[in-house]
Amino acid sequence: MMTDMSKRIQVTLPDRLADDLEKWATYDGRPLSNLAAYLLERAVAEAKKEGAEWTKENLGSK
């Protein structure tokens, strides 16, 4: 049985963006990392919905 595994990544953001995200997370009463993960997940889902694909064929020899 396959389960979803979490991966830890590091993202560097401009101060202004990081400050806005921190305020948003505080307003929502959630950790910044939780909000960031949620926003990234939504962005990827939206890109896929618009037709973005990340397969070996589409990425060439990378």
Side-chain angles (χ1 to χ4, degrees):
M1 182 171 151
M2 190 80 133
T3 60
D4 267 349
M5 300 294 293
S6 295
K7 303 279 190 241
R8 183 179 300 254
I9 65 168
Q10 182 175 339
V11 178
T12 302
L13 303 171
D15 287 340
R16 190 177 70 214
L17 178 56
D19 291 345
D20 285 345
L21 286 173
E22 185 75 49
K23 289 174 189 172
W24 186 356
T26 299
Y27 177 81
D28 277 358
R30 65 165 96 185
L32 176 58
S33 60
N34 179 270
L35 175 61
Y38 167 75
L39 293 172
L40 286 168
E41 184 176 357
R42 290 214 30 210
V44 170
E46 185 65 27
K48 286 181 177 181
K49 187 172 117 179
E50 292 177 5
E53 293 186 35
W54 301 280
T55 63
K56 283 186 180 181
E57 295 80 25
N58 292 341
L59 297 176
S61 62
K62 291 183 181 181

